[in-house]
């Protein structure tokens, strides 16, 4: 093949890729046009392609139809209780039957949902929410301030089993002002409370639900679909709520279940058995591309995989070794080969490009065998053990790539593959060096507070940095955008330089959807556009 | 005589169940982590762990938890699933709810597979024994050996690729939902049925052939041959009845496998059955759920082996009148 052919092939495939993205709503008209011209097309040609493509953002939704969604996992732990939600299928069920106070836009700003409007005082310690009137629960009861107060109190106190209670630990009281007004008083400022309340675990449940027998077996919500059936590890069914308080939903019925086997899941979506399938293995891209009427749905996100070196024990207590491991990450090859381009370079801190507060000015760490060799020699360590598991996305490939680069610098890495069940309880934060992965959080502050604050229980590398603690405290109360930006940059730089985490890549969420599915949202926080789709999608015949 | 034997065997069966429950309890206890840790996962904090453990009764000593479970079991109360229990508005998913539909699914699939594969494999095996070393026998032997040697996940995946993805004749998953007719149900179950039939056919027909040929070499058959009785008559009238014992035994073992051991087929076809439920139960350390599944599997084995023993005794006068 000559060079010319090769270039033509590249251009054609780029045009096809961008056209598909535009037609599924992933690119605006302007971005699409600019992208086309960046591949070397003339303005006239590019405009013709844009005009020839369907602009989905201008399409009107159609009512009717039934959609089946195959998630990647389910089991006896399936629950409809928002405070215990763990995985994509639970988040999706939350969006199917319930509502939040506020809701994410694709860029992670928030818009009103059950709260019609709100007021925040100047130092972000008092939030007053005005609730929407005329909203009813699936059983006909009116939605009121009591429901909100009850829901929020489930996340508070020592008795709470909520998975999200640390996120709202600074809220000292939720108070009902009148039937449709609620006030949250905070013991310390938190300018990120609104995005926090838009996340999965803060879906609003009915007042007193813990004492209603069987409430969570067939959850009663205010959401777009009523819960017709829920059997853990088998499936759940949602039927359109005819009394929904806003426009939509469009489908008559939704069936949510999981096909745990990755190959079977790809087969099911490729043969039209299901309309949406989550978490597509990179090895299956070709099969999806070849299948008629199905496309990859890839959403840029801040989720990441990393190597944790616990700084309080050997070998992580040796700063040279930590440096060497960061320098030994082959980020280019990880993104290109292991994740097939569906990812972005990580810079050893958790705040990737998908975050609004990503710091652009930090220098990107690159693979540098010579410098790594210097640090390995200086550390005097020639052998380390790394725990890895299949449960971490592409974890084995990630670990083995690191192993092969490390060998070049004279560091021998013994990769130990361990089963994923019990991984978070026994391996994570218990063994000196292991793989970890984190979902994206709604804001840079929440992410760093959870995983890198000196007092954070999930500070996985035991990196206790006082300056980091001070900055986190300050940024929470800071409202000046310029000063906030400086602080966020300083924190990202601190983590990059000193924390015991080598973080080489941010992963996209990669799912597959039928071409008949329209109106997919693109919230980057979880699979399939943040699991926000049940309310918004419709079927195009 | 027969009645006493059955009662004694059932008594032994109950003891077996108890021993198995003890082993399974010990097994789930030895595994690292508990259901609270697994449910809270990466987000676990010491306080929320303690709160959830208290709620689930996991703070009690292991021996006490076992005795409580045993007490419930004695009154046929399978108890609450730990995993489904927390935060379920005071209701809690009972084990019956989790197991109920799946047990039906599993029994349905097993009976269809058995109804197809048992008569077919016995016939294939008998025919092969009737004409040993013939072309027919060699073909059956070769094909069945090939099928036995190929793992079932490979057979299943190939069937899906060819029949569901390429030709689009049959559905690729069998989620057991919304059947409009029996035909509809059979169509949706066809790929798992086909896969399991392939797996069972091979073993059962091989064993039938071997058992019959084994009897064929005994002195009284030689006598019959010398008398000039036709081969077909020897096999159907004399050899088959004496070979029933081993054949029924292998059928019983295969049927028990269908109920408890088809995890891989259940996973590949997303079929909501019992075997996968038990694996999930172990993964989340849900002791009552694991125990309940284990008891069902163990009871299936006990009953099927009992039936096969009765069948051998009925078919063999020597066993009916032990000295």
């Amino acid at each position: 093949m000559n060079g010319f052919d090769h270039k033509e092939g590249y251009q054609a495939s780029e045009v096809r890729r961008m056209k598909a993205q535009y037609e599924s709503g992933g690119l605006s008209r302007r971005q699409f046009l600019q992208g086309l011209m960046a591949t070397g097309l003339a303005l006239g040609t590019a405009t013709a392609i844009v005009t020839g493509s369907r602009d989905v953002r201008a399409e009107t939704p159609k009512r009717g139809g039934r959609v089946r969604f195959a998630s990647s996992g389910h089991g006896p732990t399936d629950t409809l209780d928002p405070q215990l939600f763990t995985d994509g299928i639970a988040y999706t069920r939350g969006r199917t039957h319930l509502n939040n106070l506020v809701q994410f836009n694709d860029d992670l700003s928030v818009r009103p949902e059950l709260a019609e409007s709100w007021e925040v005082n100047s130092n972000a310690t008092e939030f007053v929410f005005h609730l929407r009137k005329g909203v009813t629960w699936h059983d006909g009861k009116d939605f009121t301030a009591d429901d909100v107060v009850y829901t929020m109190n489930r996340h508070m106190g020592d008795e709470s089993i909520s998975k999200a209670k640390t996120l709202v630990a600074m809220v000292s009281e939720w108070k009902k002002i009148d039937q449709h007004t609620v006030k949250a008083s905070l013991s310390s400022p938190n300018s990120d409370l609104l995005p926090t309340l838009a996340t999965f675990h803060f879906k609003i449940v009915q007042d007193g639900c813990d004492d209603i027998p069987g409430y969570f077996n067939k959850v009663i919500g205010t959401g777009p679909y009523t819960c017709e059936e829920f059997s853990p590890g088998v499936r759940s069914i949602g039927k359109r709520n005819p009394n929904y308080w806003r426009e939509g939903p469009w489908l008559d019925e939704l069936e949510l279940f999981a096909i745990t086997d990755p190959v079977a899941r790809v087969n099911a979506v490729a043969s039209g058995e299901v309309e949406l399938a989550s978490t597509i293995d990179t090895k299956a891209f070709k099969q999806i591309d070849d299948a008629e009427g199905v496309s990859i749905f890839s959403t840029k996100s801040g989720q990441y995989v990393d190597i944790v070196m616990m700084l309080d024990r050997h070998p992580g207590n040796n700063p040279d070794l930590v440096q060497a491991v960061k320098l030994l990450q082959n980020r280019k090859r990880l993104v290109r080969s292991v994740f097939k381009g569906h990812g972005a370079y990580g810079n050893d801190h958790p705040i990737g490009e998908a975050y609004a507060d990503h710091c652009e000015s930090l220098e990107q760490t690159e693979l540098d065998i010579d410098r790594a060799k210097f640090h390995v020699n200086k550390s005097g360590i020639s052998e380390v053990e790394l725990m890895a598991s299949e449960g971490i996305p592409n974890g084995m490939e990630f670990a083995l790539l690191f192993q092969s680069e490390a060998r070049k610098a004279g560091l021998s890495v013994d990769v130990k593959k361990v089963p994923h069940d019990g991984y978070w309880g026994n391996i994570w934060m218990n063994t000196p060096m292991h793989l970890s992965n984190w979902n994206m959080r709604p804001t840079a502050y929440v992410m760093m507070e959870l995983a890198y604050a000196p007092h954070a229980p999930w500070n996985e590398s035991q990196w206790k940095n006082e300056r980091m603690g001070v900055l986190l405290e300050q940024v929470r109360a800071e409202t000046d955008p310029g000063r906030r930006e400086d602080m966020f940059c300083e924190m990202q730089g601190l983590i990059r330089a000193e924390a015991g985490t080598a973080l080489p890549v941010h992963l996209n969420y990669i799912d597959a959807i039928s071409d008949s599915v329209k109106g997919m949202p693109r919230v980057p926080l979880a699979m399939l556009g943040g699991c926000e789709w049940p309310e918004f999608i419709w079927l195009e015949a | 005589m027969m009645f006493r034997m059955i009662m004694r065997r059932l008594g032994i069966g109950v003891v077996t169940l108890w021993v198995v429950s003890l082993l399974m309890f010990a097994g789930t206890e030895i595994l690292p982590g508990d259901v609270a840790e697994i449910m809270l996962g990466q987000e676990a904090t010491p306080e929320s762990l303690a709160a959830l453990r208290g709620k689930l009764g996991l703070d009690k000593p292991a021996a006490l938890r076992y005795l409580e479970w045993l007490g419930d079991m004695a009154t046929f109360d399978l108890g609450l699933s730990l995993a489904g229990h927390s935060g379920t508005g005071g209701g809690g998913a009972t084990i019956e709810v989790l197991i109920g539909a799946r047990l039906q699914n599993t029994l349905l699939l097993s009976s269809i597979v058995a109804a197809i594969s048992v008569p077919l494999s016995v016939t294939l095996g008998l025919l092969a024994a009737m004409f040993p070393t013939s072309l027919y026998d060699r073909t059956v032997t070769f094909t069945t050996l090939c099928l036995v040697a190929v793992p079932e996940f490979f057979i299943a995946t190939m069937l899906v690729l060819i029949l569901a993805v390429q030709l689009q004749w049959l559905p690729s998953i069998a989620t057991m939902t919304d059947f409009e007719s029996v035909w509809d149900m059979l169509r949706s179950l066809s790929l798992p049925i086909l896969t399991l039939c392939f797996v069972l056919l091979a073993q059962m027909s091989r064993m039938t052939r071997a058992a019959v040929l084994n009897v064929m070499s005994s002195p009284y058959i030689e006598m019959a041959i010398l008398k000039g009785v036709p081969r077909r008559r020897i096999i159907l009238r004399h050899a088959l009845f004496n070979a029933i014992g081993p054949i029924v035994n292998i059928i019983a073992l295969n049927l028990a496998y269908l109920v408890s051991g088809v995890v891989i087929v259940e996973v590949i076809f997303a079929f909501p059955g019992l075997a996968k439920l038990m694996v999930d139960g172990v993964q989340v350390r849900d002791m009552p759920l694991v125990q309940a599944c284990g008891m069902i599997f163990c009871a299936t084995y006990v009953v099927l082996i009992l039936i096969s023993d009765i069948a051998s005794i009925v078919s063999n006068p020597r066993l009916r009148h032990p000295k």
Side-chain angles (χ1 to χ4, degrees):
Chain A
M1 189 197 284
N2 63 38
F4 182 73
D5 275 343
H6 184 73
K7 180 159 176 271
E8 180 120 304
Y10 164 77
Q11 201 176 52
S13 83
E14 276 297 283
V15 169
R16 202 154 24 99
R17 185 183 65 79
M18 281 190 286
K19 185 174 153 91
Q21 214 182 341
Y22 174 69
E23 291 188 339
S24 65
L27 288 178
S28 70
R29 204 179 155 82
R30 192 187 157 86
Q31 286 167 325
F32 185 32
L33 192 66
Q34 282 170 350
L36 288 174
M37 290 174 66
T39 68
L41 287 175
L43 177 64
T45 325
T47 317
I49 294 177
V50 172
T51 334
S53 310
R54 268 171 313 123
D55 183 0
V56 282
R57 293 190 181 180
E59 281 180 52
T60 46
K62 292 189 178 61
R63 178 151 283 186
R66 185 172 194 275
V67 157
R68 302 184 80 192
F69 161 53
S71 187
S72 53
H74 64 179
T77 45
D78 281 4
T79 177
L80 292 173
D81 185 349
Q83 64 175 345
L84 288 172
F85 282 175
T86 14
D87 51 4
I89 194 160
Y91 301 160
T92 309
R93 284 175 176 145
R95 177 45 69 196
T96 303
H97 308 301
L98 304 165
N99 292 111
N100 287 69
L101 280 184
V102 290
Q103 189 164 20
F104 282 120
N105 294 312
D106 286 358
D107 62 356
L108 294 178
S109 56
V110 296
R111 65 176 186 267
E113 195 174 351
L114 284 179
E116 218 164 21
S117 60
W118 51 85
E119 288 126 33
V120 187
N121 69 350
S122 61
N123 59 346
T125 53
E126 275 181 22
F127 291 71
V128 177
F129 295 93
H130 301 285
L131 307 179
R132 201 173 290 273
K133 294 184 179 110
V135 175
T136 55
W137 294 91
H138 296 157
D139 62 358
K141 282 191 197 138
D142 281 326
F143 160 74
T144 67
D146 293 319
D147 301 312
V148 176
V149 172
Y150 185 84
T151 302
M152 295 307 168
N153 282 338
R154 297 178 88 220
H155 300 282
M156 320 236 301
D158 289 342
E159 293 293 290
S160 166
I161 54 172
S162 164
K163 298 184 77 159
K165 67 181 191 184
T166 49
L167 295 176
V168 287
M170 79 297 290
V171 182
S172 48
E173 192 197 11
W174 285 91
K175 200 169 160 216
K176 172 182 172 180
I177 305 291
D178 61 42
Q179 276 300 86
H180 292 97
T181 316
V182 181
K183 183 172 141 188
S185 310
L186 279 60
S187 56
S188 59
N190 182 4
S191 42
D192 277 351
L193 186 66
L194 287 172
T196 301
L197 294 179
T199 53
F200 317 107
H201 301 100
F202 296 96
K203 292 271 178 318
I204 306 296
V205 292
Q206 213 170 44
D207 181 26
C209 64
D210 287 300
D211 302 314
I212 304 173
Y215 178 83
F216 288 110
N217 289 344
K218 223 182 209 183
V219 72
I220 299 161
T222 53
Y225 297 85
T226 57
C227 180
E228 289 300 304
E229 182 190 323
F230 169 61
S231 21
V234 181
R235 67 164 181 174
S236 71
I237 300 268
K239 278 225 159 59
R240 182 169 61 223
N241 174 7
N243 306 317
Y244 193 50
W245 51 270
R246 66 176 164 193
E247 196 189 30
W250 308 108
L251 307 168
D252 293 331
E253 197 175 281
L254 268 182
E255 180 176 346
L256 312 176
F257 65 109
I259 303 177
T260 42
D261 182 57
V263 178
R265 197 161 60 248
V266 168
N267 284 338
V269 71
S271 61
E273 215 71 44
V274 298
E275 281 76 24
L276 301 110
S278 77
T279 324
I280 300 301
D281 198 282
T282 43
K283 295 180 203 80
F285 287 175
K286 198 175 145 21
Q287 197 188 338
I288 298 285
D289 280 343
D290 292 346
E292 196 84 359
V294 189
S295 313
I296 292 283
F297 185 81
S298 178
T299 314
K300 203 178 186 89
S301 167
Q303 65 164 332
Y304 61 86
V305 292
D306 61 326
I307 294 176
V308 179
M309 294 156 276
M310 298 192 71
L311 301 180
D312 58 352
R313 63 196 75 177
H314 180 83
N317 56 10
N318 186 321
D320 280 296
L321 183 93
V322 175
Q323 267 317 309
V325 172
K326 290 179 182 176
L327 290 167
L328 285 170
Q329 299 306 318
N330 192 337
R331 293 156 213 257
K332 288 205 173 101
R333 230 175 111 192
L334 257 181
V335 171
R336 201 183 55 223
S337 308
V338 176
F339 295 99
K340 304 276 187 269
H342 293 264
Y345 302 143
N347 202 11
D348 299 321
H349 66 75
I351 311 305
E353 290 164 24
Y355 285 92
D357 294 307
H358 168 72
C359 181
E360 308 247 323
S361 57
L362 283 180
E363 189 201 338
Q364 171 71 49
T365 311
E366 306 269 3
L367 176 72
D368 191 332
I369 303 283
D370 290 337
R371 270 176 66 205
K373 202 181 256 170
F374 165 78
H375 285 292
V376 170
N377 284 339
K378 206 173 145 205
S379 74
I381 296 169
S382 57
E383 254 182 51
V384 290
E385 192 180 82
L386 174 67
M387 301 297 196
S389 157
E390 293 274 15
I392 310 284
N394 289 44
M396 291 315 295
E397 288 95 329
F398 171 30
L400 294 175
L401 180 60
F402 166 58
Q403 184 187 47
S404 73
E405 297 297 347
R407 195 178 299 130
K408 294 178 199 159
L411 180 67
S412 129
V413 180
D414 181 12
V415 176
K416 283 244 153 62
K417 186 178 167 181
V418 291
H420 197 59
D421 59 321
Y423 190 86
W424 299 114
N426 303 301
I427 305 295
W428 184 60
M429 296 188 65
N430 271 324
T431 53
M433 249 178 107
H434 52 265
L435 298 189
S436 170
N437 80 297
W438 284 80
N439 282 324
M440 187 179 178
R441 294 305 195 275
T443 65
Y445 165 72
V446 171
M447 182 71 237
M448 293 192 286
E449 170 71 29
L450 271 180
Y452 290 93
H455 55 268
W458 305 316
N459 186 327
E460 49 188 4
S461 70
Q462 300 296 304
W463 177 62
K464 314 276 183 197
N465 186 296
E466 270 180 46
R467 175 73 186 144
M468 185 74 190
V470 171
L471 282 167
L472 280 168
E473 197 74 18
Q474 285 173 352
V475 84
R476 215 163 64 175
E478 182 60 69
T479 43
D480 177 72
R483 278 206 293 272
R484 271 176 77 91
E485 197 189 313
D486 290 345
M487 288 175 178
F488 275 122
C489 259
E490 189 182 345
M491 287 192 275
Q492 289 166 44
L494 274 175
I495 297 175
R496 171 177 176 267
E498 294 179 20
T501 45
L503 194 159
V505 58
H506 293 278
L507 320 175
N508 291 12
Y509 285 101
I510 312 164
D511 310 294
I513 62 173
S514 153
D515 294 345
S516 61
V517 172
K518 300 293 168 194
M520 285 293 290
R522 283 184 180 268
V523 176
L525 292 179
M527 55 165 76
L528 285 160
C531 302
E532 290 280 307
W533 57 270
E535 184 173 354
F536 305 107
I537 63 163
W538 71 91
L539 285 176
E540 200 76 41
Chain B
M1 157 62 218
M2 191 75 167
F3 178 73
R4 251 182 54 209
M5 196 272 311
I6 293 177
M7 288 321 285
R8 224 189 80 227
R9 292 290 300 268
L10 283 177
I12 298 175
V14 172
V15 176
T16 317
L17 280 175
W18 174 69
V19 174
V20 168
S21 83
L22 208 57
L23 287 175
M24 282 195 304
F25 184 81
T28 26
E29 283 298 308
I30 291 168
L31 286 172
D34 65 10
V35 68
E37 259 179 39
I38 284 160
M39 287 182 70
L40 294 173
Q42 204 180 1
E43 281 96 348
T45 62
E47 307 93 76
S48 56
L49 271 179
L52 189 53
R53 282 193 183 123
K55 217 171 158 185
L56 299 177
L58 289 173
D59 43 358
K60 293 180 207 156
L64 189 62
R65 278 185 284 129
Y66 178 74
L67 286 177
E68 276 179 5
W69 175 83
L70 201 64
D72 287 346
M73 194 67 194
T75 57
F76 294 101
D77 175 6
L78 293 175
L80 291 169
S81 157
L82 293 182
H85 180 56
S86 54
T88 31
T94 58
I95 301 279
E96 284 93 358
V97 169
L98 281 176
I99 286 185
R102 290 164 184 265
L103 183 61
Q104 280 178 24
N105 292 344
T106 291
L107 290 180
L108 178 71
L109 180 65
S110 330
S111 21
I112 298 176
V113 172
I116 297 172
S117 64
V118 170
L120 195 62
S121 55
V122 170
T123 317
L124 283 177
L126 273 181
L127 284 174
M130 250 179 242
F131 313 106
T133 70
S134 65
L135 180 64
Y136 165 81
D137 179 34
R138 280 161 203 256
T139 318
V140 169
T141 305
F142 179 76
T143 323
T144 50
L145 277 180
C146 283
L147 286 176
V148 152
V150 180
E152 63 202 71
F153 65 82
F154 184 75
I155 299 183
T157 312
M158 287 314 285
L159 286 175
V160 169
L161 265 184
I162 297 166
L163 295 174
V165 178
Q166 296 294 328
L167 300 172
Q168 306 233 340
W169 288 349
L170 296 169
S172 69
I173 48 173
T175 47
M176 297 299 290
T177 50
D178 314 319
F179 298 129
E180 275 147 29
S181 61
V182 178
W183 167 244
D184 208 28
M185 176 197 77
L186 284 178
R187 199 182 113 80
S188 98
L189 279 179
S190 48
L191 285 181
I193 293 175
L194 211 55
T195 311
L196 287 173
C197 280
F198 278 154
V199 175
L200 294 199
L201 207 58
Q203 206 185 7
M204 289 197 293
S205 60
R206 296 285 303 155
M207 286 306 290
T208 308
R209 179 182 178 274
V212 173
L213 281 182
N214 191 27
V215 175
M216 291 295 282
S217 61
S218 45
Y220 68 90
I221 299 284
E222 275 173 23
M223 185 63 210
I225 295 172
L226 291 177
K227 253 170 55 182
V229 186
R231 193 168 169 85
R232 177 177 311 174
R233 198 176 143 85
I234 296 178
I235 288 183
L236 293 181
R237 284 289 299 273
H238 303 287
L240 180 57
F241 283 98
N242 282 298
I244 274 184
I247 295 177
V248 172
N249 250 307
I250 194 75
I251 291 178
L253 281 176
N254 272 303
L255 294 189
Y257 157 81
L258 275 183
V259 173
S260 62
V262 295
V263 187
I264 293 169
V265 171
E266 286 182 12
V267 169
I268 291 183
F269 295 106
F271 177 84
L274 268 190
K276 178 70 176 17
L277 183 64
M278 178 151 171
V279 174
D280 288 344
V282 173
Q283 262 168 9
V284 297
R285 317 279 187 263
D286 190 341
M287 191 274 290
L289 181 59
V290 175
Q291 292 281 28
C293 295
M295 292 296 99
I296 292 176
F297 296 156
C298 185
T300 316
Y301 270 90
V302 169
V303 170
L304 284 171
I305 301 279
L306 179 63
I307 293 175
S308 81
D309 283 357
I310 294 172
S312 356
I313 292 171
V314 171
S315 71
N316 189 337
R318 272 173 304 176
L319 292 175
R320 236 176 302 163
H321 305 287
K323 279 175 197 149

